[in-house]
C-alpha cells in the first residue's frame, strides 16, 4: 500500500485521514462520563490563539525507571512523547497510519517487505542527522530482550534492512505481519551514540519537540524546547517540568493552587467535580483505552483449576467497579477488545456475567481453596478501590483473599517477570491496536510467555495465525480474532473487568494538549494562555 505524500505538518496529518481501518468508538459510556466535561481533543479544544513561551508544570504519579524506557509502563509514556518520535503515527480514532519520520511507504503485495521514504530534515538533539541507519538501529534495539519491549517479537520478525540510501529503508520480514504498523507507530527512534546512557537515565536523546535536560530521582524531570525541531515554529512551550507527586490528593491540591497546570493522578471522582468547576477541565484519552483485569498465576495449586478461575469470573461485579471506582468512565467486558476494535463481539462479552449462585455451585464441587494473595499497584488509588470490591465479591462465594499493596517499581518487575504468587489487579493496554499485537506482545497476554505462566499450544497456534495475516481486517481476520477470543475465554488466565478511559486534569490555561494511542503525552501544539 502507498501512504499519502509527505511534507505535512503534524497537526494537519493528525486531523486528516483517508479510509477508516478501525474506528475507536467511545459509545454511550463515554458520553455519560463526559456529559459535563470540557473535554479536550488533540490539537486544541477552543479558539485560543497560540502563545509562545512559558513552562508547563505536570504532576505525575511515579518516577521514570530508565531501564524500562521501552516498556510503556509508569512515566515512560510521558518521556517518550516529549523526547522521541516514531516512523508513523495512528490518529486517535482509527488504525490508519499517518506520516511522521517516514513521509511515505510502499508495502509489498505479499506483505513481506515495506519500503519507507524518510524525512531528510530531521536531527537528533545532539545535532546528528537522522538516517535510515537509525531506523535499523532502533528496530534492532527494540527487538533485544534486554529492553523487555512488548512488541519485541514483531521487531524480531524484521529480518532484512536495506539502508543503502540514507533517506530510504526497505524492511524484509520473516512472514507477513498483520500488526506491522503497530510496530512502526510504537518503536521510538533511538540515538545510537547515547544508547548506553539511556538505560541509566543520564542521557535521553531523540528527535522530538523537547530535549531532556535534567533529572532529580523521585522528584523531577525537566525538558526544554528543541530549537531545531523539524516542524516549523514548534513547539510553543519553552519548557516542560514533570514533578513526581505520588499522592492523588496532593496532585489535586497542587493543581487547584496553580503549582501545576496538568495532573495525571487525580481521582475519577475529583475529576468529575473539577469538570464542573470554573478554571479546570478533564481530559479523556479517547482512542487510548485501558482494560482493567484480574490476573491469575495458573501455577498456583488453587488457581491451576480453570473452574476456580471461572467462579471468580462469575463473581466479579464489573458494573459496580466501573460505576463506583471509575464514575461510569468505561464499560464491562469479558474479552479484552474495546468497542472500536475489529475483534469486539457483544455475544462473547456476556459469557461471564455476574452470577453468584453459579460461582458458588462451581466451587461446591471442588476442595475448599486456601487464602489467595491479591496484589495491586499502590501508584493509583483506583487499584486499591477495585481490589477491595474484588475481595468482597470473592468473599461472597467463599474465596478468601488477602490484599497485597505493592509499590510501582516492584509491581512492574513482578508483571514483566511473571512473579505474582496468586492474583493481581492492574490495567493492560494494546487492545486498542491490531488485535494480534495483544496476544504476541503484551506481558499479560503473550502466548509464549505471559505473567500468568499460562501455556497452551492451541493458544500459540491461533495467536500466530492472527499475527501472520497479510491484512488486519476482512473475513479471515474476523475468524482469527474470534478464535483468539474463544481461547482467552476458555483459558481464562486473565479475567477481564472492563474498559476504563484514562483521564487527566488540567487548568483551562492549557491548550493544544495531545496524546498517542499509548497515552504518550504530546506537547508539540501545547501552549499556555
Amino acid at each position: 500500500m502507498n501512504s499519502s505524500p509527505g511534507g505535512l505538518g503534524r497537526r494537519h496529518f493528525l486531523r486528516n485521514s483517508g479510509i477508516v481501518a478501525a474506528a475507536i468508538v467511545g459509545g454511550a459510556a463515554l458520553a455519560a462520563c463526559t456529559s459535563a466535561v470540557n473535554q479536550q481533543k488533540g490539537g486544541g479544544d477552543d479558539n485560543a490563539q497560540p502563545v509562545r513561551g512559558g513552562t508547563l508544570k505536570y504532576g505525575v504519579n511515579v518516577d521514570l525507571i530508565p531501564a524500562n524506557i521501552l516498556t510503556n509502563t509508569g512515566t515512560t509514556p510521558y518521556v517518550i512523547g516529549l523526547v522521541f518520535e516514531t516512523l508513523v503515527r495512528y490518529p486517535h480514532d482509527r488504525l490508519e497510519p499517518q506520516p511522521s519520520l517516514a513521509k511515505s511507504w510502499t508495502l509489498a503485495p505479499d506483505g513481506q517487505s515495506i519500503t519507507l521514504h524518510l524525512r531528510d530534515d530531521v536531527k537528533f538533539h545532539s545535532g546528528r542527522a537522522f538516517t535510515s541507519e537509525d531506523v535499523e538501529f532502533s528496530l534492532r534495539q527494540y527487538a533485544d530482550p534486554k529492553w523487555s519491549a512488548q512488541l519485541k517479537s514483531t521487531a524480531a520478525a524484521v529480518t532484512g534492512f536495506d539502508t543503502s540510501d540514507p533517506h530510504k529503508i526497505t524492511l524484509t520480514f520473516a512472514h507477513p505481519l498483520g500488526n506491522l504498523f503497530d510496530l512502526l507507530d510504537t518503536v521510538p527512534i533511538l540515538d545510537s551514540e547515547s544508547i548506553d546512557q539511556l538505560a541509566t537515565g543520564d542521557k535521553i536523546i531523540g528527535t522530538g519537540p523537547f530535549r531532556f535536560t535534567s533529572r532529580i530521582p523521585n522528584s523531577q524531570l525537566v525538558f526544554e524546547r528543541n530549537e531545531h525541531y523539524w516542524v516549523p515554529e514548534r513547539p510553543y512551550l519553552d519548557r516542560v517540568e514533570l514533578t513526581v507527586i505520588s499522592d492523588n490528593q496532593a496532585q489535586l491540591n497542587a493543581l487547584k493552587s496553580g503549582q501545576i497546570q496538568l495532573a495525571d493522578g487525580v481521582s475519577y471522582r475529583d475529576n468529575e467535580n473539577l469538570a464542573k468547576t470554573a478554571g479546570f477541565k478533564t481530559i479523556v484519552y479517547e482512542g487510548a483505552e485501558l482494560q482493567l483485569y484480574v490476573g491469575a498465576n495458573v501455577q498456583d495449586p488453587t488457581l491451576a483449576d480453570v473452574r476456580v478461575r471461572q467462579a471468580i469470573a462469575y463473581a466479579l461485579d464489573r458494573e459496580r467497579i466501573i460505576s463506583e471506582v471509575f464514575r461510569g468512565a468505561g464499560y464491562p467486558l469479558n474479552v479484552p477488545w474495546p468497542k472500536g476494535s475489529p475483534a469486539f463481539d457483544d455475544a462473547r462479552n456476556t459469557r461471564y456475567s455476574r452470577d453468584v449462585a453459579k460461582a458458588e455451585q462451581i466451587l461446591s464441587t471442588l476442595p475448599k481453596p486456601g487464602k489467595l494473595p491479591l496484589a495491586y499497584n499502590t501508584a493509583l488509588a483506583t487499584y486499591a478501590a477495585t481490589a477491595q470490591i474484588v475481595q468482597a465479591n470473592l468473599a461472597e462465594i467463599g474465596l478468601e483473599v488477602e490484599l497485597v499493596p505493592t509499590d510501582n517499581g516492584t509491581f512492574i518487575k513482578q508483571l514483566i517477570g511473571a512473579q505474582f504468587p496468586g492474583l493481581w489487579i492492574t490495567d493492560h493496554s494494546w487492545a486498542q491496536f491490531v488485535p494480534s499485537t495483544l496476544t504476541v506482545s503484551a506481558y499479560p497476554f503473550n502466548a509464549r510467555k505471559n505473567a500468568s505462566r499460562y501455556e497452551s499450544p492451541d493458544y500459540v497456534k491461533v495467536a500466530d495465525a492472527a499475527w501472520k495475516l497479510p491484512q488486519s481486517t476482512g473475513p479471515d481476520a474476523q475468524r482469527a480474532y474470534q478464535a483468539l477470543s474463544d481461547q482467552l475465554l476458555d483459558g481464562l488466565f486473565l479475567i477481564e473487568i472492563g474498559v476504563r478511559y484514562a483521564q487527566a486534569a488540567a487548568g483551562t490555561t492549557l491548550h493544544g494538549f495531545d496524546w498517542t494511542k499509548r497515552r504518550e503525552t504530546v506537547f508539540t501544539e501545547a501552549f499556555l494562555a
Side-chain angles (χ1 to χ4, degrees):
M1 84 180 240
N2 292 313
S3 80
S4 54
L8 302 178
R10 174 160 303 150
R11 177 178 287 184
H12 180 81
F13 75 65
L14 283 177
R15 287 183 172 180
N16 292 277
S17 60
I19 301 171
V20 173
I24 304 298
V25 182
L30 179 59
C33 79
T34 60
S35 58
V37 173
N38 179 9
Q39 183 183 333
Q40 180 172 353
K41 301 182 185 294
D45 62 329
D46 52 33
N47 295 319
Q49 294 302 303
V51 174
R52 186 168 299 284
T55 296
L56 173 68
K57 297 185 178 181
Y58 187 1
V60 298
N61 271 106
V62 295
D63 191 21
L64 174 70
I65 302 174
N68 290 350
I69 195 76
L70 300 183
T71 66
N72 196 50
T73 59
T75 304
T76 58
Y78 313 138
V79 176
I80 292 285
L82 285 160
V83 175
F84 296 98
E85 294 178 294
T86 55
L87 292 167
V88 304
R89 173 154 319 151
Y90 286 137
H92 297 163
D93 59 347
R94 57 195 175 277
L95 296 174
E96 182 193 347
Q98 303 294 300
S100 184
L101 295 184
K103 298 187 297 183
S104 62
W105 49 86
T106 303
L107 182 64
D110 64 1
Q112 293 205 214
S113 67
I114 190 171
T115 297
L116 299 119
H117 298 271
L118 309 176
R119 297 192 66 91
D120 60 5
D121 56 354
V122 176
K123 294 182 183 296
F124 284 92
H125 299 153
S126 62
R128 184 173 65 83
F130 159 67
T131 71
S132 56
E133 291 184 355
D134 296 303
V135 176
E136 177 179 358
F137 176 80
S138 300
L139 286 166
R140 289 189 183 279
Q141 285 291 313
Y142 196 87
D144 190 327
K146 73 179 181 182
W147 292 103
S148 298
Q150 297 198 62
L151 272 73
K152 64 180 181 290
S153 58
T154 303
V158 182
T159 55
F161 301 84
D162 179 353
T163 60
S164 54
D165 184 330
H167 305 305
K168 182 174 73 173
I169 187 168
T170 297
L171 307 175
T172 305
F173 317 127
H175 51 76
L177 296 171
N179 67 337
L180 168 63
F181 289 101
D182 288 9
L183 179 72
L184 302 183
D185 172 83
T186 298
V187 175
I189 297 303
L190 305 170
D191 173 41
S192 59
E193 295 181 351
S194 61
I195 193 67
D196 292 338
Q197 291 109 316
L198 179 62
T200 62
D202 294 317
K203 286 188 177 180
I204 307 175
I205 294 177
T207 65
F210 291 87
R211 299 181 297 107
F212 168 73
T213 59
S214 66
R215 174 176 175 243
I216 303 172
N218 298 309
S219 178
Q220 188 182 68
L221 295 109
V222 177
F223 306 84
E224 294 183 356
R225 184 177 190 268
N226 176 8
E227 297 288 344
H228 305 290
Y229 190 47
W230 59 270
V231 178
E233 304 298 319
R234 301 295 187 276
Y236 293 116
L237 293 167
D238 288 335
R239 183 179 171 107
V240 176
E241 296 178 0
L242 303 186
T243 301
V244 180
I245 307 173
S246 57
D247 182 76
N248 302 128
Q249 187 62 44
Q251 273 204 31
L252 176 63
N253 293 340
L255 181 67
K256 288 174 124 180
S257 65
Q259 297 175 57
I260 58 176
Q261 294 95 19
L262 181 63
D264 78 341
V266 174
S267 73
Y268 279 76
R269 185 180 294 276
D270 286 332
N271 258 321
E272 191 175 50
N273 292 329
L274 278 175
K276 305 169 188 174
T277 305
F280 299 97
K281 60 188 172 186
T282 294
I283 298 167
V284 179
Y285 289 87
E286 291 186 28
E289 298 92 336
L290 290 166
Q291 285 77 23
L292 191 70
Y293 72 96
V294 177
N297 176 1
V298 301
Q299 301 301 316
D300 174 88
T302 297
L303 297 171
D305 192 325
V306 70
R307 292 172 294 179
V308 174
R309 307 198 297 271
Q310 289 171 344
I312 293 171
Y314 282 119
L316 293 181
D317 193 342
R318 296 171 177 82
E319 287 79 5
R320 179 186 172 193
I321 292 169
I322 296 299
S323 175
E324 292 185 10
V325 179
F326 300 103
R327 310 301 298 166
Y331 48 89
L333 288 176
N334 277 191
V335 287
W337 325 112
K339 290 181 178 179
S341 169
F344 181 80
D345 185 333
D346 264 324
R348 285 172 170 82
N349 272 306
T350 60
R351 180 161 168 180
Y352 292 108
S353 297
R354 179 165 158 83
D355 190 333
V356 173
K358 192 164 188 174
E360 290 176 324
Q361 189 277 325
I362 291 172
L363 291 181
S364 70
T365 66
L366 304 173
K368 182 172 175 57
K371 183 185 291 187
L372 291 168
L374 175 61
Y376 65 88
N377 192 330
T378 56
L380 293 179
T382 50
Y383 293 144
T386 300
Q388 290 164 8
I389 293 175
V390 171
Q391 182 185 43
N393 291 162
L394 299 189
E396 286 183 80
I397 63 171
L399 280 177
E400 187 179 1
V401 164
E402 178 183 7
L403 299 185
V404 184
T406 307
D407 70 88
N408 179 67
T410 302
F411 192 93
I412 292 172
K413 180 180 178 181
Q414 290 179 315
L415 179 69
I416 295 174
Q419 297 171 1
F420 292 113
L423 299 170
W424 71 92
I425 285 174
T426 192
D427 299 303
H428 69 78
S429 188
W430 302 107
Q432 72 272 34
F433 286 83
V434 172
S436 61
T437 286
L438 190 75
T439 53
V440 299
S441 304
Y443 303 131
F445 287 88
N446 192 315
R448 285 184 167 80
K449 182 182 179 183
N450 53 69
S452 296
R453 303 184 189 177
Y454 176 76
E455 297 178 2
S456 165
D458 288 340
Y459 181 39
V460 171
K461 181 179 179 180
V462 299
D464 280 355
W467 181 39
K468 295 177 181 179
L469 289 170
Q471 300 291 334
S472 62
T473 57
D476 290 343
Q478 278 302 121
R479 286 189 289 271
Y481 302 152
Q482 288 171 354
L484 279 179
S485 293
D486 289 339
Q487 283 292 318
L488 293 171
L489 289 169
D490 291 344
L492 210 63
F493 57 98
L494 301 173
I495 304 164
E496 296 284 340
I497 294 173
V499 159
R500 76 171 179 94
Y501 292 99
Q503 298 180 353
T508 52
T509 57
L510 174 62
H511 310 271
F513 172 63
D514 203 357
W515 59 90
T516 72
K517 289 184 77 65
R518 287 171 307 286
R519 295 166 313 286
E520 293 162 350
T521 49
V522 179
F523 295 106
T524 309
E525 303 282 343
F527 60 93
L528 296 169

